[in-house]
Amino acid sequence: MNAYMRGFVILFVLLVLLSYLPPGKQYRKYIRFYAQLLMVLAALRPLFVLFGGKDTFYEKMAYAQCMEKLSEFSRDTQKIAYLNQDRYRTEYENVIAENIREKVDDMLQEYGLGTQSVTVELGEDHTMQEICIYITDENADEISVRRISVSDAAESGEGQEVCGKVKEELAAYYGMEDSGIRVSYVGGT
């Protein structure tokens, strides 16, 4: 309390001296008004501290601003995640499909076959739900028509046997059920 009284007296003396410094009387009334306002606020400071705590108002304001910034940051993060989810999901599916294509091409090389296309579908938790592979002859033309159903000769032949082997290997490698992997022999054009 002693420090408060000393500060109050010093403020009072400075304000009184300040009120007599302006050369004209026209500014003296404005300076006195602000000096008296400062004196009243200085006199009421102990009451502010008693009822509000020391610097409580400023702490509450800083806390409120911080919480608003965090809330705004959270909203922005959610918007970004929502907007980018589909794009990243598609890119992720394409990368996985390309890796599977390379693995299947390595498996099919000894049979003289290759992959025409590989598609991957991811679930909500970004795990592979479905892999769809179309196998074709390596020496087939670049332009080809996909056929989902194949002839009886191809179905019973080497193409379907290879499809079964590829399906088994992929199921074992990726730990998926056979029902999630579709391998079809399309043949050449």
Side-chain angles (χ1 to χ4, degrees), residues 10-48:
I10 291 172
L11 179 66
F12 179 75
V13 170
L14 286 175
L15 291 175
V16 168
L17 289 175
L18 185 65
S19 67
Y20 289 106
L21 285 179
K25 291 186 177 185
Q26 59 187 359
Y27 296 114
R28 204 173 277 175
K29 63 180 177 179
Y30 297 114
I31 292 176
R32 279 195 184 154
F33 171 74
Y34 288 112
Q36 290 171 355
L37 182 65
L38 281 175
M39 291 301 294
V40 168
L41 290 175
L44 293 177
R45 185 173 183 272
L47 293 175
F48 293 144

Side-chain angles (χ1 to χ4, degrees), residues 55-80:
D55 296 330
T56 305
F57 178 73
Y58 296 116
E59 289 173 4
K60 287 181 181 176
M61 288 297 293
Y63 178 76
Q65 288 174 346
C66 180
M67 291 307 292
E68 180 61 32
K69 291 285 184 188
L70 283 176
S71 175
E72 184 178 320
F73 179 73
S74 175
R75 285 190 304 267
D76 290 345
T77 304
Q78 289 172 353
K79 285 178 187 175
I80 290 170

Side-chain angles (χ1 to χ4, degrees), residues 7-188:
F8 186 76
V9 169
I10 291 172
L11 179 66
F12 179 75
V13 170
L14 286 175
L15 291 175
V16 168
L17 289 175
L18 185 65
S19 67
Y20 289 106
L21 285 179
K25 291 186 177 185
Q26 59 187 359
Y27 296 114
R28 204 173 277 175
K29 63 180 177 179
Y30 297 114
I31 292 176
R32 279 195 184 154
F33 171 74
Y34 288 112
Q36 290 171 355
L37 182 65
L38 281 175
M39 291 301 294
V40 168
L41 290 175
L44 293 177
R45 185 173 183 272
L47 293 175
F48 293 144
V49 171
L50 179 67
F51 291 113
K54 187 175 182 178
D55 296 330
T56 305
F57 178 73
Y58 296 116
E59 289 173 4
K60 287 181 181 176
M61 288 297 293
Y63 178 76
Q65 288 174 346
C66 180
M67 291 307 292
E68 180 61 32
K69 291 285 184 188
L70 283 176
S71 175
E72 184 178 320
F73 179 73
S74 175
R75 285 190 304 267
D76 290 345
T77 304
Q78 289 172 353
K79 285 178 187 175
I80 290 170
Y82 177 76
L83 293 174
N84 290 332
Q85 183 177 8
D86 289 337
R87 187 184 79 197
Y88 289 131
R89 180 188 203 92
T90 304
E91 287 178 22
Y92 187 51
E93 286 174 345
N94 292 339
V95 168
I96 292 172
E98 188 59 36
N99 287 338
I100 292 173
R101 175 188 282 262
E102 290 173 5
K103 181 169 180 51
V104 172
D105 278 341
D106 289 342
M107 286 191 284
L108 296 175
Q109 197 170 25
E110 67 184 80
Y111 300 106
L113 301 172
T115 55
Q116 183 180 24
S117 68
V118 177
T119 57
V120 174
E121 193 174 310
L122 299 177
E124 290 297 319
D125 56 350
H126 298 313
T127 58
M128 284 189 283
Q129 297 297 314
E130 185 177 67
I131 300 173
C132 186
I133 302 171
Y134 292 100
I135 297 174
T136 186
D137 296 330
E138 273 189 354
N139 56 5
D141 294 338
E142 287 294 318
I143 300 173
S144 62
V145 178
R146 286 190 197 171
R147 290 180 285 163
I148 296 176
S149 63
V150 293
S151 67
D152 292 336
E155 238 176 54
S156 61
E158 184 181 5
Q160 287 304 83
E161 191 177 307
V162 172
C163 288
K165 287 180 183 178
V166 168
K167 188 174 184 176
E168 288 174 11
E169 275 195 54
L170 288 177
Y173 186 78
Y174 290 107
M176 291 179 63
E177 295 179 17
D178 285 349
S179 62
I181 301 172
R182 292 187 311 174
V183 181
S184 301
Y185 177 70
V186 177

